[in-house]
Amino acid sequence: MIITEVGMRCRSVSTMAFTSVLLFICSIYSCYAQVPLLMWTSGGSNMPHLAQPAAGQTVSGGQLASYLKSALSGAPHNVLLFLQDKSALQASSSPLVLPALDWSASHSILELFQGELGIPAVHINPNTLKEIKLNTSQPSLLAVHLPYSAGVQTKESLLKNDAIIGEVLNVFKSQDVPYTAVYTGLKPSRVIEETPVMAGRSVGRSLLQAPPQSSVKPPLVVNNTAGRPCILLWADTLLASYSGKQDDLAIHIFNGSADTAGSVCNETLSRLVINYQNVLDLRSLRLIFSMRKIFFPVSARNWSVVEQVVLEYDGQRAIFNASGGIYSPAEYSFHCQSVSSIQSPLLVPRSATDNANQWKLSFTDFQIQGFNVTGEDFSYASDCAGFFTPGIWMGLLTSLLMVFILTYGLHMIMQLRTMDRFDDPKGPAISVPQSE
């Protein structure tokens, strides 16, 4: 087959055009992790008029900082962070509405406000807000964390959040304190994937593109008496359900509303204690991870074992045994994509009558290290997922069975023997003596 120079040039141009089309499709196909942001002021306060973002535009962290700096130049410096109230929003002269805020920017909104106002944030409970006396001459930054629930409880949760916001605003109105209110989310409830449309027709084939990675928060670090890190904890979610209510305990850890008072660690025992206030309609809650270093002669090495996960709440205790599945070599950290008390449980109630049967725990992307901590980074992770999954074992056993059958068949074929003597019709007949 002969290819002329013109044909080669045409093929080169076609290849470049195809590559350009692929790059174009890849550039316009994207996934977004967004949350809304609403900002308004009290009725008697004015906020500078700010240009609204264009339709479909996602506001980045740098743009958000610019918006907040411009807004706080004329708005009251008593800032509330919570879910917006419709009537209060309508009373504002010029509210700021950002329908699509980048997820990583919403995670840093507390730090942005603290930097602009020059004061630390105060995490408050709406039930105790009436006891707070506000000083109108000094700026303040108050954060109200609203519970989230999915499924059939969504309506009740929204009604409860609306009532909380009304109570908070009534306290500010009773003290005649002007305020600037902001609502946003710590994380989106889901990631919406958008598919581009060309000339009124959807693209049939396109390159898959992973959603942009958000900034990862550092792990929770607990120091020993010498001020050195001795316990590390990270989890994407720490879902706890009790009496029909559910809350993500990890949010309270990484936003600073929970503390680790009471945690201890030494060479053989580590006890991580996380203290919560007013979660799951409980006055107080303590989440405790008890870890012990144990030497096993069979492996001739030390192992870190999470013996129990304990919940102490309102004078009661719920104890889950975890030693059967949460363990790793002492010099490693333990990691598991899913640690649950429901499906394939690694957390098992201590007994059938224990209070743990009233709780449901589900930890996602869970990682913990209680020994041999050398800094604020985890050591090599020992994962709970075994190297040989059931699918791998099934494939190996099936392959071994087929190899055995093939080997046996070849062996039988090799054992076949042909006759070495034949009857010659011209010669004497072969006589075979028969004896009784």
Side-chain angles (χ1 to χ4, degrees):
M1 182 177 180
I2 301 176
I3 301 177
T4 62
E5 182 178 0
V6 175
M8 295 179 63
R9 291 180 179 178
C10 291
R11 178 173 297 181
S12 177
V13 172
S14 300
T15 303
M16 294 176 62
F18 179 73
T19 305
S20 301
V21 171
L22 288 180
L23 292 175
F24 175 72
I25 293 175
C26 183
S27 64
I28 62 177
Y29 190 96
S30 57
C31 296
Y32 297 97
Q34 306 164 352
V35 293
L37 183 141
L38 304 177
M39 183 174 181
W40 72 99
T41 59
S42 52
S45 304
N46 294 322
M47 185 168 58
H49 179 74
L50 301 175
Q52 300 294 334
Q57 177 185 355
T58 300
V59 179
S60 64
Q63 293 172 325
L64 175 62
S66 178
Y67 272 117
L68 296 182
K69 185 175 182 180
S70 301
L72 292 177
S73 63
H77 283 195
N78 297 307
V79 178
L80 289 170
L81 294 175
F82 56 2
L83 182 64
Q84 61 89 19
D85 177 72
K86 185 175 181 180
S87 60
L89 179 61
Q90 291 175 340
S92 179
S93 58
S94 56
L96 173 63
V97 180
L98 304 179
L101 176 64
D102 187 77
W103 181 9
S104 59
S106 68
H107 255 297
S108 60
I109 189 168
L110 271 178
E111 290 80 359
L112 292 175
F113 271 111
Q114 291 177 147
E116 291 293 335
L117 298 176
I119 56 174
V122 178
H123 301 271
I124 62 172
N125 178 16
N127 297 328
T128 61
L129 184 63
K130 296 181 180 179
E131 304 174 1
I132 300 177
K133 300 300 181 182
L134 300 171
N135 186 0
T136 56
S137 61
Q138 297 292 334
S140 59
L141 178 57
L142 306 180
V144 181
H145 297 275
L146 302 173
Y148 167 78
S149 27
V152 296
Q153 299 179 354
T154 303
K155 180 179 179 180
E156 291 76 7
S157 177
L158 292 177
L159 291 175
K160 183 178 179 180
N161 291 346
D162 186 69
I164 292 175
I165 293 171
E167 294 176 1
V168 174
L169 295 183
N170 288 335
V171 171
F172 272 72
K173 292 178 182 178
S174 64
Q175 299 185 21
D176 196 20
V177 177
Y179 61 84
T180 299
V182 179
Y183 158 70
T184 188
L186 291 176
K187 63 170 63 176
S189 58
R190 61 174 180 169
V191 177
I192 301 177
E193 185 175 345
E194 296 184 355
T195 305
V197 177
M198 289 185 179
R201 299 179 62 185
S202 61
V203 179
R205 295 181 180 179
S206 58
L207 296 179
L208 298 180
Q209 179 182 0
Q213 297 292 330
S214 60
S215 56
V216 179
K217 294 291 184 179
L220 174 66
V221 181
V222 177
N223 297 325
N224 55 18
T225 55
R228 298 178 180 177
C230 63
I231 303 176
L232 301 177
L233 172 70
W234 164 257
D236 185 31
T237 59
L238 295 174
L239 294 179
S241 300
Y242 176 72
S243 297
K245 298 178 177 60
Q246 179 177 285
D247 198 356
D248 184 1
L249 303 181
I251 294 178
H252 303 279
I253 294 177
F254 298 109
N255 65 20
S257 59
D259 62 78
T260 57
S263 300
V264 294
C265 53
N266 52 45
E267 291 297 326
T268 59
L269 177 66
S270 291
R271 189 169 183 263
L272 173 59
V273 181
I274 307 175
N275 304 286
Y276 301 90
Q277 298 293 330
N278 300 293
V279 295
L280 298 170
D281 288 345
L282 300 172
R283 293 190 302 272
S284 62
L285 173 65
R286 303 179 76 193
L287 178 60
I288 304 173
F289 296 90
S290 297
M291 295 167 282
R292 186 178 298 274
K293 183 189 291 187
I294 303 176
F295 179 80
F296 288 95
V298 176
S299 60
R301 70 188 308 175
N302 290 312
W303 289 75
S304 173
V305 180
V306 179
E307 294 184 322
Q308 292 180 341
V309 175
V310 183
L311 294 163
E312 296 182 352
Y313 58 101
D314 295 348
Q316 303 183 60
R317 300 186 72 192
I319 301 177
F320 290 90
N321 290 328
S323 58
I326 306 181
Y327 55 86
S328 65
E331 60 271 17
Y332 295 163
S333 63
F334 172 83
H335 175 268
C336 195
Q337 184 61 32
S338 177
V339 175
S340 174
S341 63
I342 308 170
Q343 296 180 348
S344 301
L346 296 179
L347 303 175
V348 182
R350 182 177 59 174
S351 64
T353 59
D354 194 275
N355 291 329
N357 294 280
Q358 304 175 14
W359 288 80
K360 293 181 180 179
L361 301 180
S362 180
F363 306 156
T364 304
D365 198 10
F366 177 79
Q367 189 168 2
I368 192 170
Q369 183 174 354
F371 303 99
N372 296 91
V373 179
T374 57
E376 296 186 358
D377 295 325
F378 285 102
S379 301
Y380 177 82
S382 175
D383 204 277
C384 63
F387 180 77
F388 289 100
T389 63
I392 294 177
W393 278 115
M394 292 175 62
L396 288 176
L397 292 177
T398 304
S399 300
L400 290 175
L401 178 60
M402 298 299 294
V403 170
F404 172 76
I405 294 175
L406 178 62
T407 304
Y408 180 77
L410 292 175
H411 176 74
M412 296 301 294
I413 292 175
M414 294 174 63
Q415 295 300 317
L416 294 177
R417 295 289 184 267
T418 59
M419 295 178 61
D420 56 353
R421 297 182 65 186
F422 298 94
D423 189 8
D424 187 0
K426 296 182 180 181
I430 299 176
S431 61
V432 179
Q434 297 181 356
S435 59
E436 296 182 357

